[in-house]
Amino acid sequence: AEATGRITDARADLRRALDREPDAAPLAVFLAHLEIGAKRPQRALDVLRELVRHEPLHENTAQVRMAWRAAEWAWMQTLEDVERLKAFRRSEDPETRRRLVYLLGTRRDAEAEALLRTLLMDQDAGVRISALRLYQRGWLRSRLEEDPVLVRQIAQVVARDDAPAARTAAIGLLARIQASVAARALAAALGGEDADPDPLVRTAAARALGLQEGEGREAPLVAALEDEDAGVRRAAVDSLFRLTGSRRGFDPDADPEERAKAITDWMVWLETRDR
């Protein structure tokens, strides 16, 4: 009780001090952390908002941002209703939105998953990547496998996202989705006019195609044997081996002439198979 009383007195003292110096960031941050400790994160945010209203430059300082983030996270954890969590989708702090992703992953309901989908299109690459990786979890992967609309959304990430790590994460999701839209997205990322510019992304696409079922997988993989990057060529021939049981003498590290001979053998195989 005595300790609680001292904390209450400290909060009162800090509030009086802030009344005199409303732009004093250290005082506001200290008070905000006291409010968080007292399980009143909304009051902590009110303190920080008032500080920023008096001096907008404080909004981008490390100590204020960290206190703001801590208050938002503490508040989020108290909310049971997904509807109320939607407000944090608009937080200006990408770290808060990333934490929202992980919180939604624990909810296991349709409302939480619907909000998570909006975070796949977040303006911050780190948030998008976190949301994509979360879909590797069992219950969310089941959602992906059952929903063609979501599969198309993930395919659009592969085609259009400006972050290579996000495109790679999306490819990882499509790897085991047995749907024509998934196979087309992987093939497009691997080669042709819309081939991904990043060799690591093309490598991921080559590996993912080797896990697909049905027709149309081998041709883009054979074409990828001519990729300028040895890692992509290696992933392509590994996938071909997984699908056909043969490498046809292709060595991704051999000189161009030797590779060309093996590629010709693969092309003949494709033509013969398709007759």
Side-chain angles (χ1 to χ4, degrees), residues 125-126 128-129 132-133 157-172 189 196-205:
R128 298 195 303 273
I129 293 165
L132 287 162
R133 289 175 176 167
V157 174
V158 175
R160 298 180 180 177
D161 200 286
D162 60 7
R167 301 196 298 273
T168 300
I171 284 170
D196 198 283
D198 191 307
L200 294 179
V201 178
R202 298 199 303 277
T203 297

Side-chain angles (χ1 to χ4, degrees), residues 209-212 217-218 221 238-245:
L209 267 177
L211 299 174
Q212 292 286 297
R217 301 163 298 169
E218 292 89 351
L221 288 168
D238 286 348
S239 286
L240 285 168
F241 179 75
R242 186 180 300 113
L243 296 173
T244 69

Side-chain angles (χ1 to χ4, degrees), residues 36-226:
I36 294 169
K39 300 188 184 304
R40 298 192 293 193
Q42 289 171 274
R43 290 194 182 185
L45 286 170
D46 289 340
V47 170
L48 297 171
R49 289 190 186 105
E50 186 66 12
L51 170 71
V52 170
R53 187 178 71 80
H54 283 282
E55 179 48 79
L57 291 177
H58 285 320
E59 184 175 10
N60 295 317
T61 61
Q63 60 177 346
V64 172
R65 287 176 64 86
M66 289 177 64
W68 200 300
R69 182 179 298 163
E72 287 190 320
W73 179 232
W75 190 8
M76 285 164 55
Q77 291 178 297
T78 68
L79 300 178
E80 297 291 336
D81 186 0
V82 172
E83 189 65 30
R84 295 183 66 191
L85 284 171
K86 288 181 179 179
F88 295 97
R89 170 71 181 84
R90 298 186 295 274
S91 170
E92 294 183 5
D93 188 348
E95 180 60 24
T96 291
R97 302 197 302 276
R98 194 173 69 85
R99 289 182 174 186
L100 176 60
V101 166
Y102 294 117
L103 187 59
L104 292 171
T106 68
R107 296 303 175 100
R108 293 177 174 269
D109 59 60
E111 281 187 306
E113 196 268 328
L115 181 55
L116 181 61
R117 289 192 195 198
T118 69
L119 292 160
L120 291 171
M121 300 175 287
D122 194 88
Q123 62 185 352
D124 181 78
V127 176
R128 298 195 303 273
I129 293 165
S130 294
L132 287 162
R133 289 175 176 167
L134 198 65
Y135 272 94
Q136 295 282 7
R137 292 189 179 181
W139 76 278
L140 285 166
R141 174 172 282 184
S142 296
R143 292 265 182 180
L144 178 61
E145 292 171 347
E146 296 165 359
D147 191 338
V149 174
L150 181 56
V151 173
R152 288 195 292 272
Q153 185 176 353
I154 301 299
Q156 287 299 308
V157 174
V158 175
R160 298 180 180 177
D161 200 286
D162 60 7
R167 301 196 298 273
T168 300
I171 284 170
L173 290 175
L174 294 181
R176 297 183 183 276
I177 300 299
Q178 304 304 325
S180 58
V181 64
R184 287 196 300 270
L186 295 172
L190 180 56
E193 293 182 359
D194 297 321
D196 198 283
D198 191 307
L200 294 179
V201 178
R202 298 199 303 277
T203 297
R207 289 174 179 155
L209 267 177
L211 299 174
Q212 292 286 297
E213 297 176 359
E215 299 179 355
R217 301 163 298 169
E218 292 89 351
L221 288 168
V222 170
L225 298 178
E226 298 186 81

Side-chain angles (χ1 to χ4, degrees), residues 215-219 244 267-275:
E215 299 179 355
R217 301 163 298 169
E218 292 89 351
T244 69
M267 295 297 293
V268 170
W269 175 83
L270 276 177
E271 293 174 5
T272 303
R273 185 205 60 170
D274 292 339
R275 284 176 186 170

